[in-house]
Amino acid sequence: MTDKRLHRIPDKVEFNDKHSNDFRGDVREHGFHFCGYDWDEKEEQFKVYLHYDQLYYWKYAELSKMGKGLLDKELWGTQCPKCGDKFFPPRVNCWNLDCNLEKAEWIKLKPEGYVHTFTIAGWSGKSSLKRLPFVLAYVVVDGCKTAVANELRGIDPWDAEFGMPVKVVWAPDGDRRGTITDFWFEPADGWKPGPMTPEKERMKELCKPVYEWVATLK
Ligand SMILES: [Zn+2]
């Protein structure tokens, strides 16, 4: 009998050597614990394994090329062959009604974009507490029609601006996992923050107690 499932479950998973294969073992309270990834060259299927009380995984399925690309320091989006709209995060089908769900094609994107909108985080999950306060931005990458949320680093939070140019910065080799945290954004080379404004002063004041609290963390 043939396996009719579109995306097969692999027989064997190559776990990252930093992590134990004993994924039923003791789980410390570090939030989501990365276990490994699985890249099926033949089927072009990419999967990420996580542990939160029990092992689970998600399949990138049709978007596997994007997940694998993150490992390889490549941003893969999609583009509609009919209207030319580009998407990152990628969409399998074009969203323009006139395109009648046209299948989009893979396109390698330039690792740059601009901030569509942002927020300053004063609280986070455990794994990020020591880096508070930080900026979370929706960034439009390389002229896409969609925006992707990720951290904007290398900036004082109150200096973030709508429309500011940013570049993609990759996590070091060996630390990438095929997930969105494989990269973050930083201001584009040569960008300088604008002068202080009453609003920036207000944000700076709001950040103060956060910095003070973070300094007390061990
Ligand atoms: Zn289209």
Side-chain angles (χ1 to χ4, degrees):
M1 206 176 97
T2 53
D3 190 340
K4 291 239 166 63
R5 280 175 302 188
L6 183 59
H7 306 299
R8 287 184 308 104
I9 294 168
D11 301 326
K12 186 172 169 290
V13 177
E14 297 296 335
F15 284 108
N16 183 312
D17 58 7
K18 282 186 185 174
H19 299 277
S20 161
N21 270 333
D22 179 22
F23 51 78
R24 302 280 176 213
D26 183 39
V27 184
R28 282 166 300 166
E29 270 290 318
H30 284 309
F32 291 94
H33 175 71
F34 173 71
C35 291
Y37 55 79
D38 174 55
W39 167 240
D40 184 333
E41 185 88 55
K42 201 162 142 263
E43 305 270 335
E44 289 202 328
Q45 290 298 318
F46 190 66
K47 229 183 269 179
V48 169
Y49 290 76
L50 293 168
H51 204 307
Y52 202 88
D53 290 341
Q54 57 185 326
L55 180 73
Y56 75 98
Y57 67 81
W58 82 79
K59 290 177 179 182
Y60 276 88
E62 294 282 342
L63 301 181
S64 286
K65 196 174 180 70
M66 177 217 175
K68 175 61 165 46
L70 296 173
L71 276 185
D72 301 335
K73 297 205 278 189
E74 293 175 352
L75 283 188
W76 285 93
T78 54
Q79 183 170 34
C80 172
K82 265 192 179 173
C83 70
D85 279 3
K86 294 195 287 184
F87 308 104
F88 188 82
R91 287 168 179 266
V92 175
N93 302 89
C94 183
W95 64 0
N96 279 330
L97 293 179
D98 289 346
C99 292
N100 198 22
L101 294 177
E102 181 76 18
K103 183 95 186 254
E105 294 165 352
W106 287 107
I107 179 174
K108 194 171 163 185
L109 299 169
K110 283 184 226 153
E112 59 189 34
Y114 69 88
V115 171
H116 176 70
T117 191
F118 66 91
T119 189
I120 300 174
W123 188 245
S124 74
K126 262 187 181 174
S127 58
S128 308
L129 283 176
K130 285 181 186 170
R131 292 192 295 105
L132 289 171
F134 54 78
V135 182
L136 291 170
Y138 264 110
V139 168
V140 174
V141 172
D142 191 13
C144 285
K145 291 291 169 93
T146 42
V148 64
N150 210 332
E151 204 180 322
L152 173 57
R153 297 188 190 173
I155 189 171
D156 285 325
W158 48 89
D159 279 336
E161 291 172 9
F162 301 119
M164 66 176 284
V166 294
K167 63 180 179 183
V168 168
V169 178
W170 294 100
D173 290 350
D175 284 354
R176 291 190 301 280
R177 303 162 173 187
T179 62
I180 196 71
T181 46
D182 285 358
F183 73 92
W184 57 86
F185 296 106
E186 289 187 11
D189 296 337
W191 178 85
K192 294 266 185 304
M196 281 307 274
T197 62
E199 176 61 9
K200 284 189 178 188
E201 291 289 1
R202 192 178 74 87
M203 298 316 298
K204 198 172 173 178
E205 272 309 299
L206 287 170
C207 286
K208 246 188 207 167
V210 182
Y211 283 116
E212 284 165 11
W213 177 75
V214 168
T216 67
L217 293 176
K218 277 183 197 144

